[in-house]
PDB file of all heavy atoms in Angstrom:
ATOM      1  N   VAL A  84     -47.181 -64.799  -5.714  1.00 95.00           N
ATOM      2  CA  VAL A  84     -45.732 -64.604  -5.562  1.00 95.00           C
ATOM      3  C   VAL A  84     -45.280 -63.361  -6.326  1.00 95.00           C
ATOM      4  O   VAL A  84     -44.498 -62.550  -5.816  1.00 95.00           O
ATOM      5  CB  VAL A  84     -44.955 -65.849  -6.045  1.00 95.00           C
ATOM      6  CG1 VAL A  84     -43.453 -65.575  -6.064  1.00 95.00           C
ATOM      7  CG2 VAL A  84     -45.257 -67.042  -5.144  1.00 95.00           C
ATOM      8  N   LEU A 195     -34.380 -72.404  -5.498  1.00 93.00           N
ATOM      9  CA  LEU A 195     -34.421 -72.421  -4.038  1.00 93.00           C
ATOM     10  C   LEU A 195     -34.280 -73.859  -3.549  1.00 93.00           C
ATOM     11  O   LEU A 195     -34.803 -74.782  -4.169  1.00 93.00           O
ATOM     12  CB  LEU A 195     -35.735 -71.815  -3.551  1.00 93.00           C
ATOM     13  CG  LEU A 195     -35.961 -70.335  -3.929  1.00 93.00           C
ATOM     14  CD1 LEU A 195     -37.387 -69.917  -3.603  1.00 93.00           C
ATOM     15  CD2 LEU A 195     -34.965 -69.436  -3.221  1.00 93.00           C
ATOM     16  N   ASP A 202     -40.078 -78.398  -0.535  1.00 87.00           N
ATOM     17  CA  ASP A 202     -39.373 -77.910  -1.719  1.00 87.00           C
ATOM     18  C   ASP A 202     -39.652 -76.412  -1.865  1.00 87.00           C
ATOM     19  O   ASP A 202     -40.734 -76.002  -2.296  1.00 87.00           O
ATOM     20  CB  ASP A 202     -39.848 -78.670  -2.956  1.00 87.00           C
ATOM     21  CG  ASP A 202     -39.110 -78.220  -4.218  1.00 87.00           C
ATOM     22  OD1 ASP A 202     -38.103 -77.489  -4.093  1.00 87.00           O
ATOM     23  OD2 ASP A 202     -39.552 -78.596  -5.328  1.00 87.00           O
ATOM     24  N   LEU A 203     -38.673 -75.614  -1.523  1.00 90.00           N
ATOM     25  CA  LEU A 203     -38.860 -74.164  -1.563  1.00 90.00           C
ATOM     26  C   LEU A 203     -38.929 -73.614  -2.984  1.00 90.00           C
ATOM     27  O   LEU A 203     -39.313 -72.464  -3.179  1.00 90.00           O
ATOM     28  CB  LEU A 203     -37.732 -73.461  -0.794  1.00 90.00           C
ATOM     29  CG  LEU A 203     -37.636 -73.801   0.700  1.00 90.00           C
ATOM     30  CD1 LEU A 203     -36.497 -73.017   1.345  1.00 90.00           C
ATOM     31  CD2 LEU A 203     -38.953 -73.521   1.415  1.00 90.00           C
ATOM     32  N   SER A 204     -38.537 -74.433  -3.965  1.00 89.00           N
ATOM     33  CA  SER A 204     -38.634 -73.983  -5.354  1.00 89.00           C
ATOM     34  C   SER A 204     -40.051 -74.148  -5.911  1.00 89.00           C
ATOM     35  O   SER A 204     -40.358 -73.654  -6.996  1.00 89.00           O
ATOM     36  CB  SER A 204     -37.644 -74.748  -6.236  1.00 89.00           C
ATOM     37  OG  SER A 204     -37.961 -76.131  -6.264  1.00 89.00           O
ATOM     38  N   SER A 205     -40.934 -74.831  -5.175  1.00 91.00           N
ATOM     39  CA  SER A 205     -42.331 -74.945  -5.582  1.00 91.00           C
ATOM     40  C   SER A 205     -43.027 -73.602  -5.362  1.00 91.00           C
ATOM     41  O   SER A 205     -42.500 -72.711  -4.704  1.00 91.00           O
ATOM     42  CB  SER A 205     -43.032 -76.042  -4.773  1.00 91.00           C
ATOM     43  OG  SER A 205     -43.113 -75.668  -3.397  1.00 91.00           O
ATOM     44  N   LYS A 206     -44.230 -73.457  -5.905  1.00 92.00           N
ATOM     45  CA  LYS A 206     -44.962 -72.202  -5.759  1.00 92.00           C
ATOM     46  C   LYS A 206     -45.250 -71.905  -4.290  1.00 92.00           C
ATOM     47  O   LYS A 206     -45.060 -70.771  -3.826  1.00 92.00           O
ATOM     48  CB  LYS A 206     -46.287 -72.253  -6.544  1.00 92.00           C
ATOM     49  CG  LYS A 206     -46.130 -72.511  -8.031  1.00 92.00           C
ATOM     50  CD  LYS A 206     -45.318 -71.432  -8.717  1.00 92.00           C
ATOM     51  CE  LYS A 206     -45.208 -71.704 -10.208  1.00 92.00           C
ATOM     52  NZ  LYS A 206     -44.326 -70.742 -10.903  1.00 92.00           N
ATOM     53  N   THR A 207     -45.674 -72.919  -3.558  1.00 92.00           N
ATOM     54  CA  THR A 207     -45.975 -72.718  -2.138  1.00 92.00           C
ATOM     55  C   THR A 207     -44.709 -72.418  -1.352  1.00 92.00           C
ATOM     56  O   THR A 207     -44.689 -71.523  -0.496  1.00 92.00           O
ATOM     57  CB  THR A 207     -46.667 -73.968  -1.557  1.00 92.00           C
ATOM     58  OG1 THR A 207     -47.891 -74.193  -2.256  1.00 92.00           O
ATOM     59  CG2 THR A 207     -46.954 -73.784  -0.082  1.00 92.00           C
ATOM     60  N   GLY A 208     -43.625 -73.160  -1.646  1.00 93.00           N
ATOM     61  CA  GLY A 208     -42.358 -72.917  -0.959  1.00 93.00           C
ATOM     62  C   GLY A 208     -41.828 -71.532  -1.237  1.00 93.00           C
ATOM     63  O   GLY A 208     -41.375 -70.822  -0.316  1.00 93.00           O
ATOM     64  N   ALA A 209     -41.866 -71.103  -2.495  1.00 94.00           N
ATOM     65  CA  ALA A 209     -41.403 -69.767  -2.862  1.00 94.00           C
ATOM     66  C   ALA A 209     -42.245 -68.694  -2.178  1.00 94.00           C
ATOM     67  O   ALA A 209     -41.729 -67.660  -1.725  1.00 94.00           O
ATOM     68  CB  ALA A 209     -41.454 -69.593  -4.372  1.00 94.00           C
ATOM     69  N   TYR A 210     -43.546 -68.935  -2.093  1.00 94.00           N
ATOM     70  CA  TYR A 210     -44.450 -67.998  -1.413  1.00 94.00           C
ATOM     71  C   TYR A 210     -44.040 -67.817   0.050  1.00 94.00           C
ATOM     72  O   TYR A 210     -43.962 -66.690   0.557  1.00 94.00           O
ATOM     73  CB  TYR A 210     -45.887 -68.508  -1.509  1.00 94.00           C
ATOM     74  CG  TYR A 210     -46.849 -67.826  -0.564  1.00 94.00           C
ATOM     75  CD1 TYR A 210     -47.361 -66.563  -0.855  1.00 94.00           C
ATOM     76  CD2 TYR A 210     -47.253 -68.451   0.612  1.00 94.00           C
ATOM     77  CE1 TYR A 210     -48.244 -65.937   0.016  1.00 94.00           C
ATOM     78  CE2 TYR A 210     -48.131 -67.833   1.488  1.00 94.00           C
ATOM     79  CZ  TYR A 210     -48.626 -66.577   1.188  1.00 94.00           C
ATOM     80  OH  TYR A 210     -49.487 -65.957   2.062  1.00 94.00           O
ATOM     81  N   LEU A 211     -43.769 -68.918   0.734  1.00 93.00           N
ATOM     82  CA  LEU A 211     -43.417 -68.846   2.151  1.00 93.00           C
ATOM     83  C   LEU A 211     -42.077 -68.140   2.358  1.00 93.00           C
ATOM     84  O   LEU A 211     -41.915 -67.356   3.302  1.00 93.00           O
ATOM     85  CB  LEU A 211     -43.378 -70.251   2.751  1.00 93.00           C
ATOM     86  CG  LEU A 211     -44.725 -70.979   2.814  1.00 93.00           C
ATOM     87  CD1 LEU A 211     -44.542 -72.418   3.285  1.00 93.00           C
ATOM     88  CD2 LEU A 211     -45.697 -70.238   3.725  1.00 93.00           C
ATOM     89  N   VAL A 212     -41.116 -68.407   1.469  1.00 95.00           N
ATOM     90  CA  VAL A 212     -39.808 -67.751   1.576  1.00 95.00           C
ATOM     91  C   VAL A 212     -39.952 -66.242   1.374  1.00 95.00           C
ATOM     92  O   VAL A 212     -39.469 -65.430   2.177  1.00 95.00           O
ATOM     93  CB  VAL A 212     -38.818 -68.329   0.546  1.00 95.00           C
ATOM     94  CG1 VAL A 212     -37.537 -67.490   0.503  1.00 95.00           C
ATOM     95  CG2 VAL A 212     -38.479 -69.767   0.887  1.00 95.00           C
ATOM     96  N   LEU A 213     -40.625 -65.859   0.304  1.00 95.00           N
ATOM     97  CA  LEU A 213     -40.766 -64.440  -0.008  1.00 95.00           C
ATOM     98  C   LEU A 213     -41.610 -63.726   1.034  1.00 95.00           C
ATOM     99  O   LEU A 213     -41.311 -62.576   1.413  1.00 95.00           O
ATOM    100  CB  LEU A 213     -41.377 -64.273  -1.399  1.00 95.00           C
ATOM    101  CG  LEU A 213     -41.523 -62.832  -1.896  1.00 95.00           C
ATOM    102  CD1 LEU A 213     -40.185 -62.105  -1.892  1.00 95.00           C
ATOM    103  CD2 LEU A 213     -42.125 -62.804  -3.294  1.00 95.00           C
ATOM    104  N   LEU A 214     -42.652 -64.373   1.506  1.00 94.00           N
ATOM    105  CA  LEU A 214     -43.494 -63.774   2.544  1.00 94.00           C
ATOM    106  C   LEU A 214     -42.674 -63.486   3.795  1.00 94.00           C
ATOM    107  O   LEU A 214     -42.806 -62.413   4.405  1.00 94.00           O
ATOM    108  CB  LEU A 214     -44.654 -64.714   2.880  1.00 94.00           C
ATOM    109  CG  LEU A 214     -45.603 -64.246   3.976  1.00 94.00           C
ATOM    110  CD1 LEU A 214     -46.319 -62.965   3.574  1.00 94.00           C
ATOM    111  CD2 LEU A 214     -46.622 -65.349   4.308  1.00 94.00           C
ATOM    112  N   PHE A 274     -34.069 -63.023  -4.983  1.00 97.00           N
ATOM    113  CA  PHE A 274     -35.092 -64.073  -4.874  1.00 97.00           C
ATOM    114  C   PHE A 274     -35.717 -64.354  -6.238  1.00 97.00           C
ATOM    115  O   PHE A 274     -35.902 -65.511  -6.633  1.00 97.00           O
ATOM    116  CB  PHE A 274     -36.173 -63.657  -3.880  1.00 97.00           C
ATOM    117  CG  PHE A 274     -37.410 -64.512  -3.955  1.00 97.00           C
ATOM    118  CD1 PHE A 274     -37.491 -65.688  -3.237  1.00 97.00           C
ATOM    119  CD2 PHE A 274     -38.471 -64.159  -4.778  1.00 97.00           C
ATOM    120  CE1 PHE A 274     -38.616 -66.510  -3.329  1.00 97.00           C
ATOM    121  CE2 PHE A 274     -39.601 -64.961  -4.880  1.00 97.00           C
ATOM    122  CZ  PHE A 274     -39.667 -66.131  -4.157  1.00 97.00           C
ATOM    123  N   TYR A 278     -36.041 -67.766  -8.387  1.00 95.00           N
ATOM    124  CA  TYR A 278     -37.420 -68.240  -8.544  1.00 95.00           C
ATOM    125  C   TYR A 278     -37.721 -68.579 -10.003  1.00 95.00           C
ATOM    126  O   TYR A 278     -38.322 -69.613 -10.305  1.00 95.00           O
ATOM    127  CB  TYR A 278     -38.376 -67.165  -8.025  1.00 95.00           C
ATOM    128  CG  TYR A 278     -39.838 -67.446  -8.269  1.00 95.00           C
ATOM    129  CD1 TYR A 278     -40.468 -68.542  -7.676  1.00 95.00           C
ATOM    130  CD2 TYR A 278     -40.600 -66.602  -9.071  1.00 95.00           C
ATOM    131  CE1 TYR A 278     -41.814 -68.791  -7.889  1.00 95.00           C
ATOM    132  CE2 TYR A 278     -41.945 -66.838  -9.286  1.00 95.00           C
ATOM    133  CZ  TYR A 278     -42.550 -67.937  -8.693  1.00 95.00           C
ATOM    134  OH  TYR A 278     -43.880 -68.181  -8.915  1.00 95.00           O
TER     135      TYR A 278
END
Side-chain angles (χ1 to χ4, degrees):
V84 172
L195 298 170
D202 182 11
L203 299 181
S204 64
S205 66
K206 301 299 181 185
T207 299
Y210 165 79
L211 294 174
V212 171
L213 183 57
L214 178 63
F274 166 86
Y278 173 64

